[in-house]
Amino acid sequence: MRVITSNARILALLGNPIDHSLSPVIQNAALRETGMDGVYVSLRCEEQYLMQFMHSLVRSGGGGNITIPHKEKAVSLLDEYSEAVERTGACNTFWGIDGKIYGDNTDVEGFRRALRYFLGESPKGLKVLLVGAGGAARAVLVALLDDGVEDVLILNRSTERAQAVVRLIGGERVRVAESYLDIRDNNFDLVVNATSLGIGLEDKLPVDLSNMGSVGLVMDLVYRTGTTPFVKSAEDLGIRAMDGREMLIQQGSVAFERWWKKPGPVEIMRCALVDTVTNK
Ligand code: NDP
């Protein structure tokens, strides 16, 4: 039986809202499996209290994850950070070393691993449509460029925000679509939804796949109980598609490694997620 001692490290997900998050499910399953002396909880946190929460967790030997809407604000509260944080301007994982707060953005590696799991090989040479320009889209873009995709077209409701992403991360292989008309009749090997569309039951689709040229594969960062609307729209057209659960697991596994200096047990985390979603 798993024993949580009085020395247990407390890891917390800080964000608002946090009710929908499945991170506690996968992290506590990983802690049970590995026998690490720790607990993982969700704490609803408003921006003005973010610094106090992060400091208190780190000073007591713990750490945690950061989610919507604090990933960018958290960067300004770190003492040291990884290249992934520097390139994306976002932090989703933090921990302490000798009183200092360290941060990483494991969404970058999480997306990379999930995409490889989905493709079964490197995405090198793919032509990609990336829908969205928020924090998650920045992590996706860094991973895609590092893995050698041929080019990325970014489509976002706010074109200015997409242009800002290109200025931050960009390069010759990245372009911004000025409107939805720009993608009509274009062919893409991969379409990634990195918007939050699909979380709400009444949300419209991020793009209409039936109005485009050929699409090879679809990846949705959104996840929910059952199929996401975007994954369903792809599958209805015979396009292979995967939702955001695998990325959740992979970014969580990398975060686990930052805290515990051992790889997160991916298969256990995957099973815990399947059990939770199926039993809801
Ligand atoms: P942000 O709030 O930073 O960005 C939201 C994005 O969605 C923006 O591009 C925004 O466009 C777009 N958007 C929101 N509402 C609409 C709308 N009504 N119509 C068109 N576009 C819209 O969020 P994140 O980037 O942090 O997260 C995006 C999604 O990715 C979330 O659903 C999140 O849960 C998911 N995610 C999943 C992960 C996983 O492990 N599976 C990891 C990280 C995130 P605009 O710029 O114009 O406002």
Side-chain angles (χ1 to χ4, degrees), residues 151-180:
D151 57 54
V152 181
L153 186 64
I154 304 180
L155 176 70
N156 193 48
R157 175 175 61 178
S158 144
T159 312
E160 297 75 39
R161 203 170 176 198
Q163 281 157 347
V165 170
V166 175
R167 281 196 296 279
L168 179 72
I169 298 164
E172 286 171 1
R173 287 178 288 158
V174 190
R175 286 182 304 124
V176 173
E178 294 300 326
S179 78
Y180 287 83

PDB file of all heavy atoms in Angstrom, residues 151-180:
ATOM      1  N   ASP A 151       7.099  23.343 -43.920  1.00  0.00           N
ATOM      2  CA  ASP A 151       6.598  24.693 -43.624  1.00  0.00           C
ATOM      3  C   ASP A 151       5.339  24.628 -42.772  1.00  0.00           C
ATOM      4  O   ASP A 151       4.678  23.597 -42.687  1.00  0.00           O
ATOM      5  CB  ASP A 151       6.378  25.526 -44.894  1.00  0.00           C
ATOM      6  CG  ASP A 151       5.440  24.860 -45.869  1.00  0.00           C
ATOM      7  OD1 ASP A 151       4.331  24.512 -45.446  1.00  0.00           O
ATOM      8  OD2 ASP A 151       5.821  24.687 -47.035  1.00  0.00           O
ATOM      9  N   VAL A 152       5.082  25.780 -42.116  1.00  0.00           N
ATOM     10  CA  VAL A 152       3.913  25.880 -41.236  1.00  0.00           C
ATOM     11  C   VAL A 152       3.146  27.147 -41.607  1.00  0.00           C
ATOM     12  O   VAL A 152       3.718  28.234 -41.672  1.00  0.00           O
ATOM     13  CB  VAL A 152       4.334  25.991 -39.749  1.00  0.00           C
ATOM     14  CG1 VAL A 152       3.099  26.063 -38.842  1.00  0.00           C
ATOM     15  CG2 VAL A 152       5.234  24.834 -39.334  1.00  0.00           C
ATOM     16  N   LEU A 153       1.850  26.981 -41.865  1.00  0.00           N
ATOM     17  CA  LEU A 153       0.969  28.121 -42.082  1.00  0.00           C
ATOM     18  C   LEU A 153       0.154  28.281 -40.800  1.00  0.00           C
ATOM     19  O   LEU A 153      -0.474  27.325 -40.348  1.00  0.00           O
ATOM     20  CB  LEU A 153       0.056  27.839 -43.283  1.00  0.00           C
ATOM     21  CG  LEU A 153      -0.844  28.990 -43.744  1.00  0.00           C
ATOM     22  CD1 LEU A 153      -0.016  30.168 -44.244  1.00  0.00           C
ATOM     23  CD2 LEU A 153      -1.769  28.509 -44.865  1.00  0.00           C
ATOM     24  N   ILE A 154       0.184  29.485 -40.216  1.00  0.00           N
ATOM     25  CA  ILE A 154      -0.580  29.708 -38.980  1.00  0.00           C
ATOM     26  C   ILE A 154      -1.859  30.460 -39.309  1.00  0.00           C
ATOM     27  O   ILE A 154      -1.825  31.508 -39.959  1.00  0.00           O
ATOM     28  CB  ILE A 154       0.227  30.533 -37.951  1.00  0.00           C
ATOM     29  CG1 ILE A 154       1.555  29.862 -37.645  1.00  0.00           C
ATOM     30  CG2 ILE A 154      -0.579  30.720 -36.671  1.00  0.00           C
ATOM     31  CD1 ILE A 154       2.399  30.624 -36.632  1.00  0.00           C
ATOM     32  N   LEU A 155      -2.968  29.905 -38.849  1.00  0.00           N
ATOM     33  CA  LEU A 155      -4.269  30.555 -39.024  1.00  0.00           C
ATOM     34  C   LEU A 155      -4.829  30.847 -37.639  1.00  0.00           C
ATOM     35  O   LEU A 155      -4.925  29.943 -36.802  1.00  0.00           O
ATOM     36  CB  LEU A 155      -5.217  29.612 -39.779  1.00  0.00           C
ATOM     37  CG  LEU A 155      -6.651  30.098 -39.964  1.00  0.00           C
ATOM     38  CD1 LEU A 155      -6.702  31.266 -40.943  1.00  0.00           C
ATOM     39  CD2 LEU A 155      -7.542  28.962 -40.460  1.00  0.00           C
ATOM     40  N   ASN A 156      -5.172  32.108 -37.389  1.00  0.00           N
ATOM     41  CA  ASN A 156      -5.735  32.448 -36.086  1.00  0.00           C
ATOM     42  C   ASN A 156      -6.815  33.494 -36.250  1.00  0.00           C
ATOM     43  O   ASN A 156      -6.783  34.296 -37.184  1.00  0.00           O
ATOM     44  CB  ASN A 156      -4.631  32.989 -35.161  1.00  0.00           C
ATOM     45  CG  ASN A 156      -5.089  33.059 -33.721  1.00  0.00           C
ATOM     46  OD1 ASN A 156      -5.659  32.092 -33.203  1.00  0.00           O
ATOM     47  ND2 ASN A 156      -4.877  34.190 -33.057  1.00  0.00           N
ATOM     48  N   ARG A 157      -7.793  33.468 -35.334  1.00  0.00           N
ATOM     49  CA  ARG A 157      -8.862  34.479 -35.374  1.00  0.00           C
ATOM     50  C   ARG A 157      -8.248  35.876 -35.405  1.00  0.00           C
ATOM     51  O   ARG A 157      -8.597  36.693 -36.220  1.00  0.00           O
ATOM     52  CB  ARG A 157      -9.748  34.296 -34.132  1.00  0.00           C
ATOM     53  CG  ARG A 157     -10.809  35.328 -33.977  1.00  0.00           C
ATOM     54  CD  ARG A 157     -11.701  35.016 -32.806  1.00  0.00           C
ATOM     55  NE  ARG A 157     -10.996  34.989 -31.528  1.00  0.00           N
ATOM     56  CZ  ARG A 157     -11.573  34.779 -30.372  1.00  0.00           C
ATOM     57  NH1 ARG A 157     -12.868  34.551 -30.321  1.00  0.00           N
ATOM     58  NH2 ARG A 157     -10.868  34.765 -29.251  1.00  0.00           N
ATOM     59  N   SER A 158      -7.302  36.121 -34.492  1.00  0.00           N
ATOM     60  CA  SER A 158      -6.612  37.406 -34.499  1.00  0.00           C
ATOM     61  C   SER A 158      -5.289  37.268 -35.268  1.00  0.00           C
ATOM     62  O   SER A 158      -4.359  36.609 -34.809  1.00  0.00           O
ATOM     63  CB  SER A 158      -6.363  37.852 -33.051  1.00  0.00           C
ATOM     64  OG  SER A 158      -5.127  38.502 -32.956  1.00  0.00           O
ATOM     65  N   THR A 159      -5.242  37.891 -36.450  1.00  0.00           N
ATOM     66  CA  THR A 159      -4.040  37.790 -37.288  1.00  0.00           C
ATOM     67  C   THR A 159      -2.840  38.436 -36.599  1.00  0.00           C
ATOM     68  O   THR A 159      -1.714  37.949 -36.711  1.00  0.00           O
ATOM     69  CB  THR A 159      -4.292  38.504 -38.638  1.00  0.00           C
ATOM     70  OG1 THR A 159      -5.538  38.064 -39.132  1.00  0.00           O
ATOM     71  CG2 THR A 159      -3.227  38.186 -39.657  1.00  0.00           C
ATOM     72  N   GLU A 160      -3.084  39.518 -35.836  1.00  0.00           N
ATOM     73  CA  GLU A 160      -1.976  40.213 -35.156  1.00  0.00           C
ATOM     74  C   GLU A 160      -1.271  39.267 -34.192  1.00  0.00           C
ATOM     75  O   GLU A 160      -0.050  39.271 -34.068  1.00  0.00           O
ATOM     76  CB  GLU A 160      -2.473  41.440 -34.350  1.00  0.00           C
ATOM     77  CG  GLU A 160      -3.114  42.543 -35.173  1.00  0.00           C
ATOM     78  CD  GLU A 160      -4.526  42.174 -35.628  1.00  0.00           C
ATOM     79  OE1 GLU A 160      -5.252  41.557 -34.828  1.00  0.00           O
ATOM     80  OE2 GLU A 160      -4.885  42.461 -36.792  1.00  0.00           O
ATOM     81  N   ARG A 161      -2.086  38.451 -33.497  1.00  0.00           N
ATOM     82  CA  ARG A 161      -1.480  37.529 -32.532  1.00  0.00           C
ATOM     83  C   ARG A 161      -0.624  36.477 -33.256  1.00  0.00           C
ATOM     84  O   ARG A 161       0.441  36.108 -32.785  1.00  0.00           O
ATOM     85  CB  ARG A 161      -2.584  36.855 -31.714  1.00  0.00           C
ATOM     86  CG  ARG A 161      -2.085  36.347 -30.381  1.00  0.00           C
ATOM     87  CD  ARG A 161      -3.228  35.919 -29.511  1.00  0.00           C
ATOM     88  NE  ARG A 161      -2.749  35.340 -28.276  1.00  0.00           N
ATOM     89  CZ  ARG A 161      -3.493  34.583 -27.494  1.00  0.00           C
ATOM     90  NH1 ARG A 161      -4.734  34.319 -27.790  1.00  0.00           N
ATOM     91  NH2 ARG A 161      -2.981  34.078 -26.379  1.00  0.00           N
ATOM     92  N   ALA A 162      -1.098  36.030 -34.420  1.00  0.00           N
ATOM     93  CA  ALA A 162      -0.323  35.053 -35.201  1.00  0.00           C
ATOM     94  C   ALA A 162       0.981  35.695 -35.666  1.00  0.00           C
ATOM     95  O   ALA A 162       2.044  35.058 -35.650  1.00  0.00           O
ATOM     96  CB  ALA A 162      -1.148  34.574 -36.393  1.00  0.00           C
ATOM     97  N   GLN A 163       0.905  36.966 -36.067  1.00  0.00           N
ATOM     98  CA  GLN A 163       2.130  37.643 -36.521  1.00  0.00           C
ATOM     99  C   GLN A 163       3.129  37.804 -35.365  1.00  0.00           C
ATOM    100  O   GLN A 163       4.333  37.705 -35.555  1.00  0.00           O
ATOM    101  CB  GLN A 163       1.788  39.000 -37.146  1.00  0.00           C
ATOM    102  CG  GLN A 163       1.272  38.821 -38.566  1.00  0.00           C
ATOM    103  CD  GLN A 163       0.423  39.977 -39.056  1.00  0.00           C
ATOM    104  OE1 GLN A 163       0.008  40.832 -38.267  1.00  0.00           O
ATOM    105  NE2 GLN A 163       0.139  39.989 -40.344  1.00  0.00           N
ATOM    106  N   ALA A 164       2.589  38.032 -34.163  1.00  0.00           N
ATOM    107  CA  ALA A 164       3.469  38.155 -32.991  1.00  0.00           C
ATOM    108  C   ALA A 164       4.182  36.819 -32.716  1.00  0.00           C
ATOM    109  O   ALA A 164       5.355  36.799 -32.334  1.00  0.00           O
ATOM    110  CB  ALA A 164       2.655  38.581 -31.769  1.00  0.00           C
ATOM    111  N   VAL A 165       3.476  35.714 -32.936  1.00  0.00           N
ATOM    112  CA  VAL A 165       4.092  34.388 -32.753  1.00  0.00           C
ATOM    113  C   VAL A 165       5.226  34.197 -33.754  1.00  0.00           C
ATOM    114  O   VAL A 165       6.302  33.701 -33.414  1.00  0.00           O
ATOM    115  CB  VAL A 165       3.029  33.262 -32.904  1.00  0.00           C
ATOM    116  CG1 VAL A 165       3.684  31.896 -32.960  1.00  0.00           C
ATOM    117  CG2 VAL A 165       2.032  33.329 -31.774  1.00  0.00           C
ATOM    118  N   VAL A 166       5.001  34.630 -34.980  1.00  0.00           N
ATOM    119  CA  VAL A 166       6.044  34.495 -36.012  1.00  0.00           C
ATOM    120  C   VAL A 166       7.252  35.359 -35.638  1.00  0.00           C
ATOM    121  O   VAL A 166       8.399  34.931 -35.787  1.00  0.00           O
ATOM    122  CB  VAL A 166       5.492  34.880 -37.408  1.00  0.00           C
ATOM    123  CG1 VAL A 166       6.602  34.869 -38.442  1.00  0.00           C
ATOM    124  CG2 VAL A 166       4.400  33.905 -37.808  1.00  0.00           C
ATOM    125  N   ARG A 167       6.988  36.559 -35.099  1.00  0.00           N
ATOM    126  CA  ARG A 167       8.124  37.413 -34.696  1.00  0.00           C
ATOM    127  C   ARG A 167       8.924  36.755 -33.576  1.00  0.00           C
ATOM    128  O   ARG A 167      10.142  36.817 -33.539  1.00  0.00           O
ATOM    129  CB  ARG A 167       7.624  38.794 -34.244  1.00  0.00           C
ATOM    130  CG  ARG A 167       7.282  39.726 -35.410  1.00  0.00           C
ATOM    131  CD  ARG A 167       7.165  41.165 -34.935  1.00  0.00           C
ATOM    132  NE  ARG A 167       6.067  41.363 -34.001  1.00  0.00           N
ATOM    133  CZ  ARG A 167       4.784  41.516 -34.353  1.00  0.00           C
ATOM    134  NH1 ARG A 167       4.441  41.519 -35.624  1.00  0.00           N
ATOM    135  NH2 ARG A 167       3.842  41.685 -33.437  1.00  0.00           N
ATOM    136  N   LEU A 168       8.225  36.096 -32.644  1.00  0.00           N
ATOM    137  CA  LEU A 168       8.902  35.476 -31.493  1.00  0.00           C
ATOM    138  C   LEU A 168       9.664  34.217 -31.890  1.00  0.00           C
ATOM    139  O   LEU A 168      10.804  34.018 -31.484  1.00  0.00           O
ATOM    140  CB  LEU A 168       7.861  35.123 -30.402  1.00  0.00           C
ATOM    141  CG  LEU A 168       8.395  34.441 -29.143  1.00  0.00           C
ATOM    142  CD1 LEU A 168       9.185  35.444 -28.290  1.00  0.00           C
ATOM    143  CD2 LEU A 168       7.259  33.850 -28.311  1.00  0.00           C
ATOM    144  N   ILE A 169       9.025  33.370 -32.700  1.00  0.00           N
ATOM    145  CA  ILE A 169       9.603  32.048 -32.964  1.00  0.00           C
ATOM    146  C   ILE A 169      10.045  31.900 -34.413  1.00  0.00           C
ATOM    147  O   ILE A 169      11.107  31.339 -34.696  1.00  0.00           O
ATOM    148  CB  ILE A 169       8.578  30.944 -32.616  1.00  0.00           C
ATOM    149  CG1 ILE A 169       8.237  31.014 -31.133  1.00  0.00           C
ATOM    150  CG2 ILE A 169       9.108  29.557 -32.984  1.00  0.00           C
ATOM    151  CD1 ILE A 169       6.992  30.266 -30.747  1.00  0.00           C
ATOM    152  N   GLY A 170       9.197  32.387 -35.290  1.00  0.00           N
ATOM    153  CA  GLY A 170       9.235  32.380 -36.731  1.00  0.00           C
ATOM    154  C   GLY A 170      10.332  31.730 -37.512  1.00  0.00           C
ATOM    155  O   GLY A 170      10.711  30.601 -37.275  1.00  0.00           O
ATOM    156  N   GLY A 171      10.853  32.446 -38.485  1.00  0.00           N
ATOM    157  CA  GLY A 171      11.817  31.881 -39.399  1.00  0.00           C
ATOM    158  C   GLY A 171      11.207  31.765 -40.780  1.00  0.00           C
ATOM    159  O   GLY A 171      10.015  32.052 -40.963  1.00  0.00           O
ATOM    160  N   GLU A 172      12.039  31.328 -41.714  1.00  0.00           N
ATOM    161  CA  GLU A 172      11.613  31.309 -43.123  1.00  0.00           C
ATOM    162  C   GLU A 172      10.527  30.288 -43.411  1.00  0.00           C
ATOM    163  O   GLU A 172       9.828  30.394 -44.419  1.00  0.00           O
ATOM    164  CB  GLU A 172      12.816  30.999 -44.017  1.00  0.00           C
ATOM    165  CG  GLU A 172      13.754  32.179 -44.134  1.00  0.00           C
ATOM    166  CD  GLU A 172      15.037  31.803 -44.828  1.00  0.00           C
ATOM    167  OE1 GLU A 172      15.185  30.629 -45.226  1.00  0.00           O
ATOM    168  OE2 GLU A 172      15.896  32.685 -44.950  1.00  0.00           O
ATOM    169  N   ARG A 173      10.404  29.285 -42.556  1.00  0.00           N
ATOM    170  CA  ARG A 173       9.436  28.222 -42.859  1.00  0.00           C
ATOM    171  C   ARG A 173       8.024  28.526 -42.340  1.00  0.00           C
ATOM    172  O   ARG A 173       7.128  27.707 -42.473  1.00  0.00           O
ATOM    173  CB  ARG A 173       9.927  26.907 -42.254  1.00  0.00           C
ATOM    174  CG  ARG A 173      11.100  26.301 -43.011  1.00  0.00           C
ATOM    175  CD  ARG A 173      11.572  25.041 -42.330  1.00  0.00           C
ATOM    176  NE  ARG A 173      12.260  25.311 -41.085  1.00  0.00           N
ATOM    177  CZ  ARG A 173      12.410  24.432 -40.088  1.00  0.00           C
ATOM    178  NH1 ARG A 173      11.904  23.235 -40.202  1.00  0.00           N
ATOM    179  NH2 ARG A 173      13.071  24.766 -39.001  1.00  0.00           N
ATOM    180  N   VAL A 174       7.828  29.703 -41.697  1.00  0.00           N
ATOM    181  CA  VAL A 174       6.524  29.991 -41.086  1.00  0.00           C
ATOM    182  C   VAL A 174       5.855  31.187 -41.764  1.00  0.00           C
ATOM    183  O   VAL A 174       6.492  32.211 -41.990  1.00  0.00           O
ATOM    184  CB  VAL A 174       6.681  30.313 -39.581  1.00  0.00           C
ATOM    185  CG1 VAL A 174       5.319  30.366 -38.911  1.00  0.00           C
ATOM    186  CG2 VAL A 174       7.564  29.297 -38.897  1.00  0.00           C
ATOM    187  N   ARG A 175       4.567  31.027 -42.101  1.00  0.00           N
ATOM    188  CA  ARG A 175       3.790  32.123 -42.690  1.00  0.00           C
ATOM    189  C   ARG A 175       2.473  32.257 -41.937  1.00  0.00           C
ATOM    190  O   ARG A 175       2.015  31.310 -41.307  1.00  0.00           O
ATOM    191  CB  ARG A 175       3.482  31.827 -44.160  1.00  0.00           C
ATOM    192  CG  ARG A 175       4.672  31.985 -45.100  1.00  0.00           C
ATOM    193  CD  ARG A 175       4.257  31.712 -46.543  1.00  0.00           C
ATOM    194  NE  ARG A 175       3.651  30.403 -46.713  1.00  0.00           N
ATOM    195  CZ  ARG A 175       2.433  30.174 -47.229  1.00  0.00           C
ATOM    196  NH1 ARG A 175       1.677  31.171 -47.623  1.00  0.00           N
ATOM    197  NH2 ARG A 175       1.961  28.946 -47.351  1.00  0.00           N
ATOM    198  N   VAL A 176       1.859  33.436 -42.063  1.00  0.00           N
ATOM    199  CA  VAL A 176       0.555  33.659 -41.431  1.00  0.00           C
ATOM    200  C   VAL A 176      -0.513  33.733 -42.515  1.00  0.00           C
ATOM    201  O   VAL A 176      -0.327  34.438 -43.516  1.00  0.00           O
ATOM    202  CB  VAL A 176       0.573  34.980 -40.628  1.00  0.00           C
ATOM    203  CG1 VAL A 176      -0.824  35.329 -40.107  1.00  0.00           C
ATOM    204  CG2 VAL A 176       1.556  34.888 -39.469  1.00  0.00           C
ATOM    205  N   ALA A 177      -1.615  33.018 -42.319  1.00  0.00           N
ATOM    206  CA  ALA A 177      -2.748  33.119 -43.248  1.00  0.00           C
ATOM    207  C   ALA A 177      -3.541  34.367 -42.883  1.00  0.00           C
ATOM    208  O   ALA A 177      -3.860  34.584 -41.708  1.00  0.00           O
ATOM    209  CB  ALA A 177      -3.623  31.871 -43.125  1.00  0.00           C
ATOM    210  N   GLU A 178      -3.823  35.188 -43.863  1.00  0.00           N
ATOM    211  CA  GLU A 178      -4.540  36.449 -43.587  1.00  0.00           C
ATOM    212  C   GLU A 178      -6.021  36.189 -43.307  1.00  0.00           C
ATOM    213  O   GLU A 178      -6.663  36.946 -42.584  1.00  0.00           O
ATOM    214  CB  GLU A 178      -4.405  37.412 -44.766  1.00  0.00           C
ATOM    215  CG  GLU A 178      -2.976  37.913 -45.009  1.00  0.00           C
ATOM    216  CD  GLU A 178      -2.404  38.663 -43.824  1.00  0.00           C
ATOM    217  OE1 GLU A 178      -3.166  39.345 -43.122  1.00  0.00           O
ATOM    218  OE2 GLU A 178      -1.174  38.559 -43.597  1.00  0.00           O
ATOM    219  N   SER A 179      -6.564  35.121 -43.914  1.00  0.00           N
ATOM    220  CA  SER A 179      -7.978  34.820 -43.674  1.00  0.00           C
ATOM    221  C   SER A 179      -8.220  33.336 -43.993  1.00  0.00           C
ATOM    222  O   SER A 179      -7.333  32.654 -44.514  1.00  0.00           O
ATOM    223  CB  SER A 179      -8.872  35.671 -44.575  1.00  0.00           C
ATOM    224  OG  SER A 179      -8.883  35.122 -45.869  1.00  0.00           O
ATOM    225  N   TYR A 180      -9.450  32.908 -43.692  1.00  0.00           N
ATOM    226  CA  TYR A 180      -9.801  31.513 -43.952  1.00  0.00           C
ATOM    227  C   TYR A 180      -9.735  31.200 -45.452  1.00  0.00           C
ATOM    228  O   TYR A 180      -9.522  30.064 -45.849  1.00  0.00           O
ATOM    229  CB  TYR A 180     -11.200  31.207 -43.392  1.00  0.00           C
ATOM    230  CG  TYR A 180     -11.181  31.137 -41.886  1.00  0.00           C
ATOM    231  CD1 TYR A 180     -11.256  32.293 -41.115  1.00  0.00           C
ATOM    232  CD2 TYR A 180     -11.040  29.920 -41.225  1.00  0.00           C
ATOM    233  CE1 TYR A 180     -11.203  32.243 -39.730  1.00  0.00           C
ATOM    234  CE2 TYR A 180     -10.995  29.848 -39.842  1.00  0.00           C
ATOM    235  CZ  TYR A 180     -11.073  31.021 -39.101  1.00  0.00           C
ATOM    236  OH  TYR A 180     -11.013  30.956 -37.733  1.00  0.00           O
TER     237      TYR A 180
END
